[in-house]
Amino acid sequence: MAETEVNTVFLQQLMELGISEDKAKEALVKTGNQSSDSAAMFYFSELEMFSGLEANESLNDEYKMVLVVNMELTMGIGKVAAQVAHAALGLYQMMMEESDKWQTTLRIW
């Protein structure tokens, strides 16, 4: 990837989510450095979901689910918890319905 200047605050926020520096920079560039939120959404929906295992990863690596909640929304804590639970279950169901690759990843997770 060509070296493009990215917002260092956004970069740090993405890296705190466990995203590698290279992937965080790529997500920021592809989303036009708009925000760490848009880059994170892009990463988790595009880069991570469809890239498969990285060259240095193995099936024994640990996986985690990160759910990002915009606390500026006017929802009570119970509603936020319900929405997060729906998102987690939705991902689980999608992975169970998809190819063997996702089912293997789900079993590892």
Side-chain angles (χ1 to χ4, degrees), residues 36-50:
S36 57
D37 289 343
S38 61
M41 291 299 292
F42 177 81
Y43 173 81
F44 289 116
S45 66
E46 301 290 331
L47 293 179
E48 185 176 76
M49 294 297 285
F50 300 110

Side-chain angles (χ1 to χ4, degrees), residues 24-42:
K25 285 181 179 179
E26 183 178 354
L28 284 166
V29 168
K30 292 199 180 203
T31 57
N33 265 319
Q34 293 176 353
S35 70
S36 57
D37 289 343
S38 61
M41 291 299 292
F42 177 81

Side-chain angles (χ1 to χ4, degrees), residues 16-103:
E16 288 172 1
L17 291 174
I19 301 172
S20 72
E21 183 174 354
D22 289 339
K23 294 290 185 182
K25 285 181 179 179
E26 183 178 354
L28 284 166
V29 168
K30 292 199 180 203
T31 57
N33 265 319
Q34 293 176 353
S35 70
S36 57
D37 289 343
S38 61
M41 291 299 292
F42 177 81
Y43 173 81
F44 289 116
S45 66
E46 301 290 331
L47 293 179
E48 185 176 76
M49 294 297 285
F50 300 110
S51 66
L53 293 175
E54 297 289 333
N56 61 349
E57 287 184 313
S58 72
L59 292 178
N60 294 326
D61 287 343
E62 291 185 24
Y63 290 85
K64 65 180 176 180
M65 179 185 296
V66 177
L67 299 167
V68 179
V69 177
N70 180 352
M71 296 307 290
E72 292 180 1
L73 298 174
T74 56
M75 290 191 287
I77 195 70
K79 179 70 172 173
V80 169
Q83 293 299 315
V84 168
H86 285 302
L89 285 173
L91 176 62
Y92 174 82
Q93 290 172 336
M94 181 206 72
M95 291 175 81
M96 288 301 291
E97 294 169 359
E98 293 292 325
S99 69
D100 291 337
K101 173 190 167 211
W102 292 120
Q103 291 176 12

